[in-house]
Amino acid sequence: MLLDTFGRQAVDLRVSLTDRCNLRCTYCMPEQGLQWLAKPDLLTDEEIVRLVTLAVRDLGVREVRFTGGEPLLRPGLVGIVAACAALAPRPELSLTTNGIGLARTATALKAAGLDRVNVSLDTLDAGTFHTLSRRRRHQDVLDGLAAAEAAGLTPVKVNTVLMRDVNDHEAADLLAWCLERGYELRFIEQMPLDAQHGWDRSKMVTAEEILDRLHARFRLTPEPSAARGAAPAERWLVDGGPAGVGVIASVTRPFCRACDRTRLTADGQVRNCLFATGETDLRTALRSGAGDAELAELWRAAMWGKKAGAGIDNPEFLQPDRPMSAIGG
């Protein structure tokens, strides 16, 4: 098992497959992009499968989420999914994506064993999408969502970051749009994980503000706290249910006490927290011939040292040097 000193067990593994992305979202990276990882630094498909196998078979991981960067840019994605779906015990497999390219890959991913997807969509307006992402790919995202639903990658979840004076007025419209199509919407507070370190808490649209905007049009009933478990999203039933909406308030309502996640970067580093400033290198050990027992012990030690919380509210909080695209969402 992957335990820490506070009694938390990590059963949810987030695997970043690449640091590259085909969007340039303002809350994530600068317009010119980043210095991408060199190909030799990336884990190979086989190395990823070996580490996921170790996590599932020996360390108690039950859920695997493939992330990026943009994971659809990984050429071997379908094969990685298929190999992980063949594991025993079989983990739940999901993918977080910006949706570009999903229209042409959704059916193959479902056939390979992917269970569901989370698709990022911050706006219903193509012009606003260009402002936020610096790319004109809005329709591609909408097509990807529809393809995921048609392929059975359900429930299709939509992740939305609201930016003040840019798309924050769209909160209720986005929820109505998702309800009409059967998508599960989750709003995510903007987090201090941008490459340019331009995050400003005073300008962030908070969970309280998001809920105020939704309450203006919908009747929201909070789900019992027991139903949430270790999920990062607080969830509300909309107009009596069964449909709901979630809010991931990593900044204003941290959920560190129930965190059950461990993270593997595209270059083979274990991160025990999204906001960690340190990592544990599995890639070097793996390529030096380490056996499964040695790799497992390194992973256990990395998780054992996990802090009680991310500490965003602490004056000494330091934003990680590595941006979201390198860490994996």
Side-chain angles (χ1 to χ4, degrees):
M1 293 190 296
L2 293 171
L3 295 172
D4 64 33
T5 56
F6 299 93
R8 296 169 297 194
Q9 180 182 355
V11 297
D12 183 338
L13 169 61
R14 308 295 172 97
V15 182
S16 176
L17 299 181
T18 178
D19 61 329
R20 296 175 183 266
C21 189
N22 40 15
L23 296 180
R24 298 290 182 269
C25 295
T26 57
Y27 53 78
C28 186
M29 67 175 71
E31 185 172 5
Q32 66 273 20
L34 301 171
Q35 182 66 47
W36 308 122
L37 292 168
K39 188 173 182 179
D41 293 337
L42 297 173
L43 293 177
T44 66
D45 294 0
E46 294 75 16
E47 288 170 338
I48 290 170
V49 172
R50 181 182 173 190
L51 292 175
V52 173
T53 300
L54 177 68
V56 171
R57 185 192 64 211
D58 300 340
L59 297 175
V61 164
R62 299 194 294 268
E63 302 174 30
V64 178
R65 173 85 63 84
F66 299 109
T67 71
E70 174 43 55
L72 292 181
L73 294 178
R74 179 87 186 202
L77 173 60
V78 171
I80 292 171
V81 170
C84 294
L87 295 176
R90 186 197 188 283
E92 178 184 324
L93 300 174
S94 59
L95 176 81
T96 295
T97 172
N98 62 28
I100 297 172
L102 191 55
R104 65 175 180 271
T105 56
T107 299
L109 287 168
K110 179 64 177 179
L114 191 69
D115 295 306
R116 63 174 185 81
V117 293
N118 289 46
V119 180
S120 298
L121 177 67
D122 298 325
T123 176
L124 299 175
D125 180 78
T128 304
F129 183 89
H130 178 248
T131 297
L132 281 168
S133 70
R134 305 185 179 102
R135 296 293 186 271
R136 300 189 185 278
R137 307 296 298 272
H138 189 249
Q139 189 59 50
D140 292 329
V141 180
L142 302 185
D143 292 345
L145 279 161
E149 178 73 23
L153 293 170
T154 54
V156 174
K157 296 185 178 181
V158 174
N159 293 342
T160 296
V161 176
L162 294 182
M163 303 291 288
R164 193 173 304 283
D165 300 326
V166 179
N167 64 334
D168 54 330
H169 62 285
E170 292 190 66
D173 289 339
L174 279 158
L175 178 53
W177 187 85
C178 287
L179 292 173
E180 182 180 340
R181 289 157 180 77
Y183 304 151
E184 292 190 13
L185 178 60
R186 304 191 311 174
F187 292 98
I188 304 175
E189 287 183 337
Q190 183 195 3
M191 293 180 284
L193 291 170
D194 57 308
Q196 57 271 40
H197 285 213
W199 181 81
D200 184 342
R201 181 171 181 147
S202 67
K203 297 179 181 178
M204 180 190 72
V205 180
T206 66
E208 183 177 359
E209 291 176 275
I210 294 167
L211 291 170
D212 285 345
R213 286 164 169 76
L214 298 181
H215 275 295
R217 190 184 305 183
F218 303 97
R219 178 168 56 89
L220 303 181
T221 306
E223 274 194 343
S225 57
R228 180 182 181 184
E234 293 181 79
R235 193 169 181 272
W236 284 261
L237 297 178
V238 180
D239 294 336
V245 62
V247 178
I248 299 177
S250 302
V251 178
T252 63
R253 302 180 185 181
F255 41 88
C256 302
R257 185 175 298 177
C259 182
D260 66 350
R261 282 165 291 288
T262 182
R263 299 175 183 275
L264 183 65
T265 68
D267 55 349
Q269 312 298 306
V270 169
R271 297 182 63 85
N272 60 27
C273 174
L274 187 60
F275 299 101
T277 54
E279 300 174 332
T280 298
D281 183 6
L282 293 188
R283 184 192 64 200
T284 298
L286 188 156
R287 293 181 179 176
S288 299
D292 287 353
E294 183 179 346
L295 293 171
E297 188 54 38
L298 285 171
W299 207 328
R300 289 191 188 98
M303 297 309 298
W304 186 250
K306 186 171 182 171
K307 296 179 179 179
I312 292 179
D313 286 328
N314 298 336
E316 62 270 21
F317 172 77
L318 294 175
Q319 180 174 337
D321 289 332
R322 301 189 81 183
M324 174 73 82
S325 61
I327 294 170

